[in-house]
PDB file of all heavy atoms in Angstrom:
ATOM      1  N   ALA P  95      -6.310 -11.309  -9.312  1.00  0.00           N
ATOM      2  CA  ALA P  95      -6.589 -12.737  -9.359  1.00  0.00           C
ATOM      3  C   ALA P  95      -7.437 -13.033 -10.592  1.00  0.00           C
ATOM      4  O   ALA P  95      -8.105 -12.126 -11.115  1.00  0.00           O
ATOM      5  CB  ALA P  95      -7.311 -13.170  -8.091  1.00  0.00           C
ATOM      6  N   PRO P  96      -7.438 -14.256 -11.076  1.00  0.00           N
ATOM      7  CA  PRO P  96      -8.219 -14.587 -12.277  1.00  0.00           C
ATOM      8  C   PRO P  96      -9.686 -14.214 -12.119  1.00  0.00           C
ATOM      9  O   PRO P  96     -10.318 -14.535 -11.107  1.00  0.00           O
ATOM     10  CB  PRO P  96      -8.042 -16.105 -12.390  1.00  0.00           C
ATOM     11  CG  PRO P  96      -6.734 -16.379 -11.741  1.00  0.00           C
ATOM     12  CD  PRO P  96      -6.653 -15.405 -10.596  1.00  0.00           C
ATOM     13  N   GLY P  97     -10.196 -13.486 -13.092  1.00  0.00           N
ATOM     14  CA  GLY P  97     -11.598 -13.101 -13.079  1.00  0.00           C
ATOM     15  C   GLY P  97     -11.942 -11.947 -12.164  1.00  0.00           C
ATOM     16  O   GLY P  97     -13.121 -11.614 -12.008  1.00  0.00           O
ATOM     17  N   LYS P  98     -10.938 -11.345 -11.558  1.00  0.00           N
ATOM     18  CA  LYS P  98     -11.192 -10.242 -10.632  1.00  0.00           C
ATOM     19  C   LYS P  98     -10.514  -8.967 -11.104  1.00  0.00           C
ATOM     20  O   LYS P  98      -9.605  -8.989 -11.933  1.00  0.00           O
ATOM     21  CB  LYS P  98     -10.717 -10.611  -9.227  1.00  0.00           C
ATOM     22  CG  LYS P  98     -11.499 -11.758  -8.595  1.00  0.00           C
ATOM     23  CD  LYS P  98     -11.116 -11.938  -7.135  1.00  0.00           C
ATOM     24  CE  LYS P  98     -11.958 -13.021  -6.482  1.00  0.00           C
ATOM     25  NZ  LYS P  98     -11.619 -13.176  -5.032  1.00  0.00           N
ATOM     26  N   GLU P  99     -10.984  -7.857 -10.548  1.00  0.00           N
ATOM     27  CA  GLU P  99     -10.382  -6.577 -10.848  1.00  0.00           C
ATOM     28  C   GLU P  99      -9.017  -6.449 -10.159  1.00  0.00           C
ATOM     29  O   GLU P  99      -8.779  -7.067  -9.115  1.00  0.00           O
ATOM     30  CB  GLU P  99     -11.292  -5.449 -10.354  1.00  0.00           C
ATOM     31  CG  GLU P  99     -12.608  -5.309 -11.091  1.00  0.00           C
ATOM     32  CD  GLU P  99     -12.407  -4.764 -12.486  1.00  0.00           C
ATOM     33  OE1 GLU P  99     -11.563  -3.857 -12.660  1.00  0.00           O
ATOM     34  OE2 GLU P  99     -13.088  -5.246 -13.409  1.00  0.00           O
ATOM     35  N   ARG P 100      -8.175  -5.635 -10.749  1.00  0.00           N
ATOM     36  CA  ARG P 100      -6.894  -5.336 -10.117  1.00  0.00           C
ATOM     37  C   ARG P 100      -7.161  -4.423  -8.933  1.00  0.00           C
ATOM     38  O   ARG P 100      -7.845  -3.403  -9.067  1.00  0.00           O
ATOM     39  CB  ARG P 100      -5.947  -4.664 -11.119  1.00  0.00           C
ATOM     40  CG  ARG P 100      -4.526  -4.530 -10.641  1.00  0.00           C
ATOM     41  CD  ARG P 100      -3.617  -4.038 -11.758  1.00  0.00           C
ATOM     42  NE  ARG P 100      -3.576  -4.980 -12.885  1.00  0.00           N
ATOM     43  CZ  ARG P 100      -2.735  -4.843 -13.908  1.00  0.00           C
ATOM     44  NH1 ARG P 100      -1.875  -3.829 -13.933  1.00  0.00           N
ATOM     45  NH2 ARG P 100      -2.770  -5.708 -14.906  1.00  0.00           N
ATOM     46  N   GLU P 101      -6.624  -4.782  -7.780  1.00  0.00           N
ATOM     47  CA  GLU P 101      -6.896  -4.033  -6.560  1.00  0.00           C
ATOM     48  C   GLU P 101      -5.597  -3.651  -5.853  1.00  0.00           C
ATOM     49  O   GLU P 101      -4.583  -4.358  -5.940  1.00  0.00           O
ATOM     50  CB  GLU P 101      -7.748  -4.872  -5.595  1.00  0.00           C
ATOM     51  CG  GLU P 101      -7.076  -6.148  -5.127  1.00  0.00           C
ATOM     52  CD  GLU P 101      -7.877  -6.908  -4.085  1.00  0.00           C
ATOM     53  OE1 GLU P 101      -8.997  -6.476  -3.744  1.00  0.00           O
ATOM     54  OE2 GLU P 101      -7.364  -7.937  -3.595  1.00  0.00           O
ATOM     55  N   LEU P 102      -5.672  -2.536  -5.138  1.00  0.00           N
ATOM     56  CA  LEU P 102      -4.521  -2.095  -4.362  1.00  0.00           C
ATOM     57  C   LEU P 102      -4.337  -3.001  -3.159  1.00  0.00           C
ATOM     58  O   LEU P 102      -5.287  -3.316  -2.451  1.00  0.00           O
ATOM     59  CB  LEU P 102      -4.704  -0.653  -3.892  1.00  0.00           C
ATOM     60  CG  LEU P 102      -3.570  -0.100  -3.037  1.00  0.00           C
ATOM     61  CD1 LEU P 102      -2.337   0.153  -3.894  1.00  0.00           C
ATOM     62  CD2 LEU P 102      -4.003   1.175  -2.333  1.00  0.00           C
ATOM     63  N   VAL P 103      -3.088  -3.406  -2.918  1.00  0.00           N
ATOM     64  CA  VAL P 103      -2.736  -4.175  -1.737  1.00  0.00           C
ATOM     65  C   VAL P 103      -2.100  -3.255  -0.695  1.00  0.00           C
ATOM     66  O   VAL P 103      -2.494  -3.240   0.472  1.00  0.00           O
ATOM     67  CB  VAL P 103      -1.761  -5.316  -2.094  1.00  0.00           C
ATOM     68  CG1 VAL P 103      -1.319  -6.052  -0.840  1.00  0.00           C
ATOM     69  CG2 VAL P 103      -2.400  -6.263  -3.093  1.00  0.00           C
ATOM     70  N   ALA P 104      -1.124  -2.497  -1.129  1.00  0.00           N
ATOM     71  CA  ALA P 104      -0.419  -1.579  -0.236  1.00  0.00           C
ATOM     72  C   ALA P 104       0.238  -0.498  -1.071  1.00  0.00           C
ATOM     73  O   ALA P 104       0.565  -0.722  -2.243  1.00  0.00           O
ATOM     74  CB  ALA P 104       0.634  -2.311   0.590  1.00  0.00           C
ATOM     75  N   ALA P 105       0.445   0.652  -0.463  1.00  0.00           N
ATOM     76  CA  ALA P 105       1.081   1.752  -1.178  1.00  0.00           C
ATOM     77  C   ALA P 105       1.897   2.574  -0.204  1.00  0.00           C
ATOM     78  O   ALA P 105       1.652   2.562   1.012  1.00  0.00           O
ATOM     79  CB  ALA P 105       0.038   2.618  -1.872  1.00  0.00           C
ATOM     80  N   ILE P 106       2.850   3.265  -0.765  1.00  0.00           N
ATOM     81  CA  ILE P 106       3.707   4.131   0.026  1.00  0.00           C
ATOM     82  C   ILE P 106       3.988   5.378  -0.777  1.00  0.00           C
ATOM     83  O   ILE P 106       4.096   5.321  -2.004  1.00  0.00           O
ATOM     84  CB  ILE P 106       5.016   3.390   0.414  1.00  0.00           C
ATOM     85  CG1 ILE P 106       5.859   4.214   1.383  1.00  0.00           C
ATOM     86  CG2 ILE P 106       5.820   2.993  -0.826  1.00  0.00           C
ATOM     87  CD1 ILE P 106       6.998   3.409   1.991  1.00  0.00           C
ATOM     88  N   ARG P 107       4.085   6.495  -0.125  1.00  0.00           N
ATOM     89  CA  ARG P 107       4.381   7.754  -0.804  1.00  0.00           C
ATOM     90  C   ARG P 107       5.389   8.529   0.014  1.00  0.00           C
ATOM     91  O   ARG P 107       5.419   8.429   1.238  1.00  0.00           O
ATOM     92  CB  ARG P 107       3.102   8.584  -1.012  1.00  0.00           C
ATOM     93  CG  ARG P 107       2.473   9.022   0.285  1.00  0.00           C
ATOM     94  CD  ARG P 107       1.145   9.729   0.088  1.00  0.00           C
ATOM     95  NE  ARG P 107       0.594  10.116   1.385  1.00  0.00           N
ATOM     96  CZ  ARG P 107      -0.610  10.606   1.573  1.00  0.00           C
ATOM     97  NH1 ARG P 107      -1.430  10.777   0.542  1.00  0.00           N
ATOM     98  NH2 ARG P 107      -1.025  10.937   2.782  1.00  0.00           N
ATOM     99  N   TRP P 108       6.214   9.290  -0.668  1.00  0.00           N
ATOM    100  CA  TRP P 108       7.167  10.133   0.023  1.00  0.00           C
ATOM    101  C   TRP P 108       7.601  11.257  -0.893  1.00  0.00           C
ATOM    102  O   TRP P 108       7.378  11.228  -2.103  1.00  0.00           O
ATOM    103  CB  TRP P 108       8.378   9.324   0.517  1.00  0.00           C
ATOM    104  CG  TRP P 108       9.288   8.809  -0.556  1.00  0.00           C
ATOM    105  CD1 TRP P 108      10.403   9.406  -1.074  1.00  0.00           C
ATOM    106  CD2 TRP P 108       9.153   7.573  -1.274  1.00  0.00           C
ATOM    107  NE1 TRP P 108      10.962   8.622  -2.045  1.00  0.00           N
ATOM    108  CE2 TRP P 108      10.223   7.486  -2.172  1.00  0.00           C
ATOM    109  CE3 TRP P 108       8.228   6.524  -1.219  1.00  0.00           C
ATOM    110  CZ2 TRP P 108      10.400   6.396  -3.030  1.00  0.00           C
ATOM    111  CZ3 TRP P 108       8.406   5.438  -2.067  1.00  0.00           C
ATOM    112  CH2 TRP P 108       9.475   5.386  -2.946  1.00  0.00           C
ATOM    113  N   SER P 109       8.213  12.280  -0.292  1.00  0.00           N
ATOM    114  CA  SER P 109       8.726  13.393  -1.072  1.00  0.00           C
ATOM    115  C   SER P 109       9.877  14.016  -0.299  1.00  0.00           C
ATOM    116  O   SER P 109      10.178  13.611   0.816  1.00  0.00           O
ATOM    117  CB  SER P 109       7.630  14.432  -1.303  1.00  0.00           C
ATOM    118  OG  SER P 109       7.322  15.079  -0.089  1.00  0.00           O
ATOM    119  N   SER P 110      10.495  15.010  -0.908  1.00  0.00           N
ATOM    120  CA  SER P 110      11.618  15.689  -0.281  1.00  0.00           C
ATOM    121  C   SER P 110      11.169  16.471   0.950  1.00  0.00           C
ATOM    122  O   SER P 110      11.988  16.810   1.797  1.00  0.00           O
ATOM    123  CB  SER P 110      12.305  16.615  -1.282  1.00  0.00           C
ATOM    124  OG  SER P 110      11.386  17.542  -1.798  1.00  0.00           O
ATOM    125  N   TRP P 111       9.836  16.744   1.062  1.00  0.00           N
ATOM    126  CA  TRP P 111       9.342  17.533   2.183  1.00  0.00           C
ATOM    127  C   TRP P 111       8.486  16.728   3.151  1.00  0.00           C
ATOM    128  O   TRP P 111       7.942  17.253   4.105  1.00  0.00           O
ATOM    129  CB  TRP P 111       8.534  18.724   1.663  1.00  0.00           C
ATOM    130  CG  TRP P 111       7.544  18.365   0.596  1.00  0.00           C
ATOM    131  CD1 TRP P 111       7.727  18.407  -0.742  1.00  0.00           C
ATOM    132  CD2 TRP P 111       6.212  17.864   0.782  1.00  0.00           C
ATOM    133  NE1 TRP P 111       6.595  17.984  -1.404  1.00  0.00           N
ATOM    134  CE2 TRP P 111       5.656  17.650  -0.510  1.00  0.00           C
ATOM    135  CE3 TRP P 111       5.420  17.599   1.917  1.00  0.00           C
ATOM    136  CZ2 TRP P 111       4.355  17.171  -0.684  1.00  0.00           C
ATOM    137  CZ3 TRP P 111       4.131  17.122   1.731  1.00  0.00           C
ATOM    138  CH2 TRP P 111       3.616  16.902   0.437  1.00  0.00           C
ATOM    139  N   SER P 112       8.362  15.428   2.894  1.00  0.00           N
ATOM    140  CA  SER P 112       7.532  14.585   3.745  1.00  0.00           C
ATOM    141  C   SER P 112       8.241  13.283   4.043  1.00  0.00           C
ATOM    142  O   SER P 112       8.928  12.724   3.184  1.00  0.00           O
ATOM    143  CB  SER P 112       6.194  14.298   3.066  1.00  0.00           C
ATOM    144  OG  SER P 112       5.476  13.316   3.807  1.00  0.00           O
ATOM    145  N   GLY P 113       8.067  12.797   5.274  1.00  0.00           N
ATOM    146  CA  GLY P 113       8.669  11.526   5.640  1.00  0.00           C
ATOM    147  C   GLY P 113       8.001  10.325   5.026  1.00  0.00           C
ATOM    148  O   GLY P 113       8.547   9.223   5.090  1.00  0.00           O
ATOM    149  N   GLY P 114       6.828  10.533   4.437  1.00  0.00           N
ATOM    150  CA  GLY P 114       6.176   9.418   3.782  1.00  0.00           C
ATOM    151  C   GLY P 114       5.087   8.794   4.620  1.00  0.00           C
ATOM    152  O   GLY P 114       5.019   8.991   5.840  1.00  0.00           O
ATOM    153  N   SER P 115       4.225   8.033   3.970  1.00  0.00           N
ATOM    154  CA  SER P 115       3.135   7.345   4.649  1.00  0.00           C
ATOM    155  C   SER P 115       2.766   6.101   3.860  1.00  0.00           C
ATOM    156  O   SER P 115       3.086   5.981   2.673  1.00  0.00           O
ATOM    157  CB  SER P 115       1.931   8.267   4.813  1.00  0.00           C
ATOM    158  OG  SER P 115       1.573   8.841   3.586  1.00  0.00           O
ATOM    159  N   THR P 116       2.116   5.190   4.540  1.00  0.00           N
ATOM    160  CA  THR P 116       1.762   3.911   3.929  1.00  0.00           C
ATOM    161  C   THR P 116       0.262   3.666   4.018  1.00  0.00           C
ATOM    162  O   THR P 116      -0.420   4.222   4.881  1.00  0.00           O
ATOM    163  CB  THR P 116       2.501   2.746   4.609  1.00  0.00           C
ATOM    164  OG1 THR P 116       2.186   2.758   6.015  1.00  0.00           O
ATOM    165  CG2 THR P 116       4.008   2.881   4.439  1.00  0.00           C
ATOM    166  N   PHE P 117      -0.224   2.838   3.114  1.00  0.00           N
ATOM    167  CA  PHE P 117      -1.633   2.476   3.069  1.00  0.00           C
ATOM    168  C   PHE P 117      -1.737   0.975   2.831  1.00  0.00           C
ATOM    169  O   PHE P 117      -0.917   0.407   2.098  1.00  0.00           O
ATOM    170  CB  PHE P 117      -2.339   3.214   1.928  1.00  0.00           C
ATOM    171  CG  PHE P 117      -2.351   4.706   2.093  1.00  0.00           C
ATOM    172  CD1 PHE P 117      -1.253   5.466   1.732  1.00  0.00           C
ATOM    173  CD2 PHE P 117      -3.465   5.354   2.603  1.00  0.00           C
ATOM    174  CE1 PHE P 117      -1.251   6.837   1.889  1.00  0.00           C
ATOM    175  CE2 PHE P 117      -3.479   6.728   2.759  1.00  0.00           C
ATOM    176  CZ  PHE P 117      -2.365   7.474   2.404  1.00  0.00           C
ATOM    177  N   TYR P 118      -2.760   0.356   3.431  1.00  0.00           N
ATOM    178  CA  TYR P 118      -2.965  -1.078   3.271  1.00  0.00           C
ATOM    179  C   TYR P 118      -4.438  -1.381   3.023  1.00  0.00           C
ATOM    180  O   TYR P 118      -5.330  -0.764   3.612  1.00  0.00           O
ATOM    181  CB  TYR P 118      -2.498  -1.835   4.512  1.00  0.00           C
ATOM    182  CG  TYR P 118      -1.021  -1.735   4.775  1.00  0.00           C
ATOM    183  CD1 TYR P 118      -0.504  -0.771   5.625  1.00  0.00           C
ATOM    184  CD2 TYR P 118      -0.137  -2.613   4.163  1.00  0.00           C
ATOM    185  CE1 TYR P 118       0.855  -0.675   5.861  1.00  0.00           C
ATOM    186  CE2 TYR P 118       1.232  -2.531   4.395  1.00  0.00           C
ATOM    187  CZ  TYR P 118       1.715  -1.557   5.244  1.00  0.00           C
ATOM    188  OH  TYR P 118       3.063  -1.472   5.472  1.00  0.00           O
ATOM    189  N   GLU P 119      -4.650  -2.360   2.173  1.00  0.00           N
ATOM    190  CA  GLU P 119      -5.994  -2.899   2.011  1.00  0.00           C
ATOM    191  C   GLU P 119      -6.332  -3.669   3.278  1.00  0.00           C
ATOM    192  O   GLU P 119      -5.459  -4.277   3.914  1.00  0.00           O
ATOM    193  CB  GLU P 119      -6.009  -3.796   0.770  1.00  0.00           C
ATOM    194  CG  GLU P 119      -7.391  -4.176   0.287  1.00  0.00           C
ATOM    195  CD  GLU P 119      -7.876  -5.471   0.890  1.00  0.00           C
ATOM    196  OE1 GLU P 119      -7.035  -6.338   1.191  1.00  0.00           O
ATOM    197  OE2 GLU P 119      -9.097  -5.625   1.086  1.00  0.00           O
ATOM    198  N   ASP P 120      -7.588  -3.626   3.685  1.00  0.00           N
ATOM    199  CA  ASP P 120      -7.965  -4.179   4.983  1.00  0.00           C
ATOM    200  C   ASP P 120      -7.564  -5.643   5.172  1.00  0.00           C
ATOM    201  O   ASP P 120      -7.131  -6.047   6.257  1.00  0.00           O
ATOM    202  CB  ASP P 120      -9.479  -4.038   5.196  1.00  0.00           C
ATOM    203  CG  ASP P 120      -9.893  -2.610   5.495  1.00  0.00           C
ATOM    204  OD1 ASP P 120      -9.021  -1.778   5.807  1.00  0.00           O
ATOM    205  OD2 ASP P 120     -11.100  -2.313   5.415  1.00  0.00           O
ATOM    206  N   SER P 121      -7.686  -6.439   4.134  1.00  0.00           N
ATOM    207  CA  SER P 121      -7.436  -7.877   4.302  1.00  0.00           C
ATOM    208  C   SER P 121      -5.968  -8.221   4.528  1.00  0.00           C
ATOM    209  O   SER P 121      -5.655  -9.355   4.919  1.00  0.00           O
ATOM    210  CB  SER P 121      -7.959  -8.639   3.080  1.00  0.00           C
ATOM    211  OG  SER P 121      -7.169  -8.375   1.935  1.00  0.00           O
ATOM    212  N   VAL P 122      -5.071  -7.268   4.296  1.00  0.00           N
ATOM    213  CA  VAL P 122      -3.643  -7.566   4.476  1.00  0.00           C
ATOM    214  C   VAL P 122      -3.033  -6.833   5.662  1.00  0.00           C
ATOM    215  O   VAL P 122      -1.859  -7.048   5.972  1.00  0.00           O
ATOM    216  CB  VAL P 122      -2.836  -7.241   3.196  1.00  0.00           C
ATOM    217  CG1 VAL P 122      -3.434  -7.941   1.986  1.00  0.00           C
ATOM    218  CG2 VAL P 122      -2.707  -5.740   2.972  1.00  0.00           C
ATOM    219  N   LYS P 123      -3.820  -6.001   6.302  1.00  0.00           N
ATOM    220  CA  LYS P 123      -3.297  -5.272   7.465  1.00  0.00           C
ATOM    221  C   LYS P 123      -2.839  -6.253   8.539  1.00  0.00           C
ATOM    222  O   LYS P 123      -3.540  -7.210   8.874  1.00  0.00           O
ATOM    223  CB  LYS P 123      -4.371  -4.335   8.029  1.00  0.00           C
ATOM    224  CG  LYS P 123      -4.617  -3.105   7.171  1.00  0.00           C
ATOM    225  CD  LYS P 123      -5.695  -2.209   7.779  1.00  0.00           C
ATOM    226  CE  LYS P 123      -5.933  -0.985   6.926  1.00  0.00           C
ATOM    227  NZ  LYS P 123      -7.033  -0.124   7.472  1.00  0.00           N
ATOM    228  N   GLY P 124      -1.662  -6.002   9.071  1.00  0.00           N
ATOM    229  CA  GLY P 124      -1.096  -6.871  10.089  1.00  0.00           C
ATOM    230  C   GLY P 124      -0.334  -8.057   9.520  1.00  0.00           C
ATOM    231  O   GLY P 124       0.378  -8.745  10.262  1.00  0.00           O
ATOM    232  N   ARG P 125      -0.484  -8.306   8.223  1.00  0.00           N
ATOM    233  CA  ARG P 125       0.236  -9.431   7.594  1.00  0.00           C
ATOM    234  C   ARG P 125       1.285  -8.947   6.591  1.00  0.00           C
ATOM    235  O   ARG P 125       2.341  -9.553   6.452  1.00  0.00           O
ATOM    236  CB  ARG P 125      -0.749 -10.355   6.871  1.00  0.00           C
ATOM    237  CG  ARG P 125      -1.791 -10.969   7.770  1.00  0.00           C
ATOM    238  CD  ARG P 125      -2.589 -12.053   7.026  1.00  0.00           C
ATOM    239  NE  ARG P 125      -3.332 -11.523   5.880  1.00  0.00           N
ATOM    240  CZ  ARG P 125      -3.198 -11.969   4.632  1.00  0.00           C
ATOM    241  NH1 ARG P 125      -2.334 -12.923   4.355  1.00  0.00           N
ATOM    242  NH2 ARG P 125      -3.945 -11.453   3.654  1.00  0.00           N
ATOM    243  N   PHE P 126       0.972  -7.886   5.867  1.00  0.00           N
ATOM    244  CA  PHE P 126       1.879  -7.351   4.844  1.00  0.00           C
ATOM    245  C   PHE P 126       2.497  -6.049   5.343  1.00  0.00           C
ATOM    246  O   PHE P 126       1.871  -5.300   6.105  1.00  0.00           O
ATOM    247  CB  PHE P 126       1.127  -7.069   3.555  1.00  0.00           C
ATOM    248  CG  PHE P 126       0.649  -8.289   2.809  1.00  0.00           C
ATOM    249  CD1 PHE P 126       0.673  -9.555   3.379  1.00  0.00           C
ATOM    250  CD2 PHE P 126       0.134  -8.164   1.527  1.00  0.00           C
ATOM    251  CE1 PHE P 126       0.220 -10.668   2.691  1.00  0.00           C
ATOM    252  CE2 PHE P 126      -0.316  -9.263   0.821  1.00  0.00           C
ATOM    253  CZ  PHE P 126      -0.290 -10.511   1.414  1.00  0.00           C
ATOM    254  N   ALA P 127       3.694  -5.786   4.872  1.00  0.00           N
ATOM    255  CA  ALA P 127       4.353  -4.523   5.202  1.00  0.00           C
ATOM    256  C   ALA P 127       5.070  -4.001   3.975  1.00  0.00           C
ATOM    257  O   ALA P 127       5.862  -4.718   3.355  1.00  0.00           O
ATOM    258  CB  ALA P 127       5.336  -4.715   6.348  1.00  0.00           C
ATOM    259  N   ILE P 128       4.804  -2.751   3.644  1.00  0.00           N
ATOM    260  CA  ILE P 128       5.464  -2.105   2.516  1.00  0.00           C
ATOM    261  C   ILE P 128       6.544  -1.184   3.058  1.00  0.00           C
ATOM    262  O   ILE P 128       6.358  -0.520   4.081  1.00  0.00           O
ATOM    263  CB  ILE P 128       4.452  -1.339   1.630  1.00  0.00           C
ATOM    264  CG1 ILE P 128       5.104  -0.866   0.335  1.00  0.00           C
ATOM    265  CG2 ILE P 128       3.810  -0.180   2.388  1.00  0.00           C
ATOM    266  CD1 ILE P 128       4.100  -0.332  -0.699  1.00  0.00           C
ATOM    267  N   SER P 129       7.667  -1.179   2.393  1.00  0.00           N
ATOM    268  CA  SER P 129       8.775  -0.326   2.819  1.00  0.00           C
ATOM    269  C   SER P 129       9.570   0.087   1.587  1.00  0.00           C
ATOM    270  O   SER P 129       9.338  -0.403   0.492  1.00  0.00           O
ATOM    271  CB  SER P 129       9.672  -1.069   3.822  1.00  0.00           C
ATOM    272  OG  SER P 129      10.241  -2.224   3.217  1.00  0.00           O
ATOM    273  N   ARG P 130      10.522   0.979   1.805  1.00  0.00           N
ATOM    274  CA  ARG P 130      11.329   1.436   0.679  1.00  0.00           C
ATOM    275  C   ARG P 130      12.786   1.553   1.069  1.00  0.00           C
ATOM    276  O   ARG P 130      13.127   1.674   2.254  1.00  0.00           O
ATOM    277  CB  ARG P 130      10.814   2.785   0.179  1.00  0.00           C
ATOM    278  CG  ARG P 130      11.059   3.941   1.148  1.00  0.00           C
ATOM    279  CD  ARG P 130      10.514   5.221   0.566  1.00  0.00           C
ATOM    280  NE  ARG P 130      10.727   6.366   1.446  1.00  0.00           N
ATOM    281  CZ  ARG P 130      11.741   7.213   1.321  1.00  0.00           C
ATOM    282  NH1 ARG P 130      12.641   7.029   0.364  1.00  0.00           N
ATOM    283  NH2 ARG P 130      11.864   8.233   2.141  1.00  0.00           N
TER     284      ARG P 130
END
């Protein structure tokens, strides 16, 4: 946002040996969903 630092909202990771996992910033939990 203007005048603010760039911050993580949500992230997802996966690999050939892992089913993957997701992360959310607290203020968006329950409202945002990351998928692939």
Side-chain angles (χ1 to χ4, degrees):
K98 294 188 176 182
E99 292 289 320
R100 190 172 298 188
E101 62 175 3
L102 178 72
V103 176
I106 187 169
R107 64 185 180 188
W108 69 92
S109 70
S110 57
W111 47 267
S112 171
S115 52
T116 57
F117 297 82
Y118 296 94
E119 193 268 330
D120 286 346
S121 70
V122 306
K123 286 180 180 177
R125 300 189 298 123
F126 291 12
I128 190 169
S129 62
R130 69 180 180 97

